[in-house]
Amino acid sequence: MDFTRRDTLALGAGAVALTVLPFRVNAAGEDAIAAFTGGAEVAEGGVNLDAPEIAENGNTVPIGVSAEGATAIMLLAMGNPTPGVATFNYGELAGSTMASTRIRLAGTQDVVAIAKMADGSFAKATKNVKVTIGGCGG
Amino acid sequence: MNFKALTAIAALMVAAPALTFADPDNDTLTINGEEMVTKAPLPAHLEDSMLTEIMSGWHFRNDDTQAMQMDDFDNPGMLAVEDAAAAWDTVEGTAGKSCASCHENVEDSMKGVRAVYPKWNEKAGEVRTLAMQINNCRTENMGAEPYKYDSGPMAAMEALITVQSRGMPVDVAIDGPVADTWEKGKEIYYTRFGQLELSCASCHEQNYGNMIRADHLSQGQINGFPTYRLKNAKLNTVHGRFKGCVRDTRAETFSPGSPEFVALELYVASRGNGLSVEGPSVRN
Amino acid sequence: MADGAKPRVKAPKSASAGEVVTIKTLISHKMESGQRKNKDGSVIPRSIINRFTCEFNGTSVIDVKMEPAISTNPYFEFEAKIPESGDLKFTWYDDDGSVYEDVKTVQVG
């Protein structure tokens, strides 16, 4: 039998293995936001959130945040059992209000960055990150 | 490939259209600014295979994972290299010696070593993997306990030795005294294992470039070992990875350090002859 | 985890006065989340680094509150303004009370 690689693939379309872990939400994320903002209004925009669209493994997902004029940025993984990830508090000698780190995501979900601005206002950015189940090949 | 193997593979393949086929990319891997050879012409012994060129597993990872390997600071596998550098100088065992007592500077004494392993050891009359050689020095030359074959300290010591060959082409011998072992490794590579009746070749030769359960299938090269995997956040040895791959075919697997895996390592290493030694690499 | 946690810092050795420099830090640490179970089903207790700070000559550059969702071997990249010659001091605070430190000197001029 002479199958090309793409034919093999087409056969696979019938018998599907789940690609992506399901989206999850929980109220704890909203609570954490409220605790950070004290319930103040949060504007969209003014925050950059750099995250992959598809993460190869949820264990180590690179994330970058920045927000001009922020004094602190809180990072949340809204679908994690405990949504808090980190809060960056910028000091007098911060060269900019940016930071990058690597985080854990328990499945496909929204990652949220909320910046607290010097004038006391809040701004936010949201990005959906798909987490794939790799794991094949040990 | 027979039909049964095909359906088994097909069943593992992914349906989501956006993810189904992604050719290996054409990016260039530099590590600390030094360019690596990640695509190379077929070694002569692979001319009757289905491959047209050999490729490092780096090309099959996404940009973020790739980037983590491009600078030693960003590569968490280098933490283990630092641990091993300390172990290199640490006296252990009844002979009161450290690796450095005999091999002095790892940078000089181990340069080029990784690139030619596994290799024939004349005195012992056997094919030795790097791990076997490390343990041989520990037990015979130091009177120390051997490391567990696929343990953290072993992976770290392999990584330290591997770094000294980084950028050099993999160049393992396949003839002369190792020929029999190499043939045995080749046979294992093409044997279909497990309920799924899949061989290494079913996935890594016939289907590289395809997505399998959301994982982008590479050629299963070992020029990047040991690998820091995002999945378990530690360095992984070649045999540890082989074990996982055989287990995925739902077969009983050989154990790390077994003659079967040693032969398989020699054979798989030779499929990468010409690629740069890249370890410790970063994989998902 | 008190032993085995080893910090690494990448920072420039020199800068011009007022220059903004990029800093990368990495520390070997399991960051056990407290949500994983071991083979017999019991929960592996949480053990993480919960705070990281960077100061220059005693003035804060960044102060990070860390949660269990930070990956094994925590990594940070950020920027600092260097007004004069002095020391960048990095401190990681472990759940178990351990404190890990590193210092990098930056020359100005």
Side-chain angles (χ1 to χ4, degrees):
Chain A
M1 233 175 272
D2 195 6
F3 284 95
T4 68
R5 280 201 258 149
R6 274 164 217 271
D7 289 335
T8 315
L9 199 68
L11 276 175
V16 182
L18 247 191
T19 322
V20 179
L21 294 170
F23 177 77
R24 312 191 219 172
V25 232
N26 68 42
E30 298 303 332
D31 293 349
I33 293 174
F36 184 64
T37 61
E41 192 124 334
V42 180
E44 291 287 340
V47 182
N48 291 316
L49 174 55
D50 198 9
E53 232 172 272
I54 301 175
E56 270 193 308
N57 193 290
N59 238 343
T60 314
V61 183
I63 301 278
V65 292
S66 65
E68 191 103 22
T71 57
I73 302 178
M74 182 170 68
L75 189 61
L76 296 146
M78 300 301 277
N80 279 0
T82 312
V85 175
T87 306
F88 304 99
N89 297 290
Y90 296 98
E92 215 177 295
L93 288 180
S96 67
T97 42
M98 66 77 83
S100 309
T101 187
R102 296 167 180 164
I103 73 169
R104 294 171 171 148
L105 295 177
T108 296
Q109 57 177 287
D110 282 344
V111 174
V112 171
I114 299 189
K116 179 178 188 179
M117 299 303 182
D119 66 5
S121 67
F122 291 89
K124 140 179 177 187
T126 304
K127 206 139 183 206
N128 188 259
V129 180
K130 291 189 180 60
V131 174
T132 55
I133 326 171
C136 202
Chain B
M1 213 192 308
N2 74 7
F3 192 77
K4 184 154 177 198
L6 253 177
T7 19
I9 288 249
L12 290 170
M13 296 288 169
V14 172
L19 291 174
T20 36
F21 193 87
D23 282 310
D25 68 18
N26 284 315
D27 296 347
T28 303
L29 170 59
T30 55
I31 302 181
N32 306 331
E34 188 197 343
E35 197 168 323
M36 299 286 135
V37 175
T38 52
K39 294 189 182 181
L42 275 192
H45 69 82
L46 283 179
E47 245 141 45
D48 56 357
S49 76
M50 286 175 70
L51 303 180
T52 51
E53 140 182 80
I54 53 171
M55 267 180 248
S56 160
W58 182 81
H59 282 292
F60 299 82
R61 306 285 44 98
N62 76 12
D63 290 351
D64 295 309
T65 312
Q66 287 184 336
M68 285 175 74
Q69 198 187 320
M70 296 179 73
D71 180 310
D72 277 349
F73 198 89
D74 295 334
N75 181 346
M78 293 305 289
L79 288 166
V81 170
E82 285 172 25
D83 291 342
W88 182 265
D89 291 327
T90 306
V91 172
E92 274 184 85
T94 51
K97 289 193 156 57
S98 71
C99 312
S101 314
C102 298
H103 296 294
E104 296 177 29
N105 217 326
V106 66
E107 286 85 4
D108 304 320
S109 62
M110 292 296 142
K111 194 173 171 63
V113 169
R114 164 86 267 178
V116 297
Y117 268 79
K119 79 167 193 199
W120 183 252
N121 183 292
E122 194 57 55
K123 242 186 296 165
E126 64 181 9
V127 173
R128 269 195 191 159
T129 61
L130 193 55
M132 287 163 75
Q133 179 60 52
I134 291 168
N135 267 346
N136 191 265
C137 277
R138 285 183 64 83
T139 55
E140 306 308 309
N141 291 325
M142 294 167 72
E145 286 294 311
Y147 292 136
K148 191 166 162 278
Y149 196 93
D150 59 348
S151 64
M154 176 63 90
M157 187 55 79
E158 287 182 306
L160 173 69
I161 292 171
T162 299
V163 165
Q164 317 311 331
S165 301
R166 206 159 54 180
M168 298 171 73
V170 176
D171 184 20
V172 303
I174 65 170
D175 49 10
V178 307
D180 285 349
T181 309
W182 185 82
E183 284 296 343
K184 186 170 144 205
K186 180 174 180 182
E187 192 185 314
I188 295 172
Y189 194 86
Y190 286 99
T191 301
R192 292 204 198 92
F193 288 103
Q195 288 171 30
L196 299 183
E197 290 194 33
L198 295 172
S199 67
C200 311
S202 318
C203 285
H204 292 299
E205 182 171 311
Q206 280 134 16
N207 278 288
Y208 75 91
N210 284 329
M211 301 297 295
I212 183 164
R213 270 207 258 136
D215 215 337
H216 194 188
L217 260 177
S218 72
Q219 292 183 348
Q221 296 283 0
I222 57 174
N223 62 305
F225 275 80
T227 56
Y228 183 89
R229 294 190 64 187
L230 305 182
K231 177 179 165 177
N232 55 18
K234 62 172 191 171
L235 277 184
N236 295 261
T237 63
V238 170
H239 291 201
R241 193 80 213 226
F242 286 175
K243 197 168 91 179
C245 270
V246 177
R247 203 195 299 117
D248 279 344
T249 66
R250 303 198 194 136
E252 286 293 325
T253 171
F254 303 109
S255 53
S258 63
E260 289 83 2
F261 272 176
V262 170
L264 186 60
E265 177 175 348
L266 172 65
Y267 176 70
V268 177
S270 78
R271 292 174 69 96
N273 272 350
L275 296 173
S276 292
V277 172
E278 231 181 72
S281 64
V282 181
R283 301 287 188 258
N284 59 323
Chain C
M1 199 62 205
D3 40 60
K6 216 173 24 172
R8 296 170 83 204
V9 172
K10 189 172 178 175
K13 291 194 173 60
S14 62
S16 51
E19 190 179 337
V20 170
V21 300
T22 299
I23 294 167
K24 293 179 177 185
T25 68
L26 186 67
I27 186 165
S28 53
H29 196 285
K30 278 211 168 345
M31 293 294 284
E32 192 59 63
S33 67
Q35 279 151 12
R36 292 196 318 146
K37 289 187 177 145
N38 62 17
K39 282 184 191 122
D40 61 36
S42 55
V43 173
I44 306 171
R46 165 179 148 155
S47 169
I48 70 165
I49 293 174
N50 55 50
R51 184 177 173 213
F52 164 72
T53 63
C54 169
E55 291 175 355
F56 183 79
N57 287 349
T59 305
S60 171
V61 172
I62 198 167
D63 185 334
V64 186
K65 177 168 181 261
M66 297 163 64
E67 310 271 359
I70 296 287
S71 302
T72 304
N73 303 330
Y75 170 93
F76 291 115
E77 183 180 336
F78 54 93
E79 293 180 324
K81 196 188 288 167
I82 307 294
E84 71 226 353
S85 293
D87 288 341
L88 282 162
K89 185 174 171 204
F90 305 88
T91 315
W92 291 259
Y93 299 86
D94 196 307
D95 272 353
D96 71 6
S98 313
V99 173
Y100 319 108
E101 287 180 350
D102 201 359
V103 173
K104 295 279 170 195
T105 301
V106 187
Q107 286 298 337
V108 165

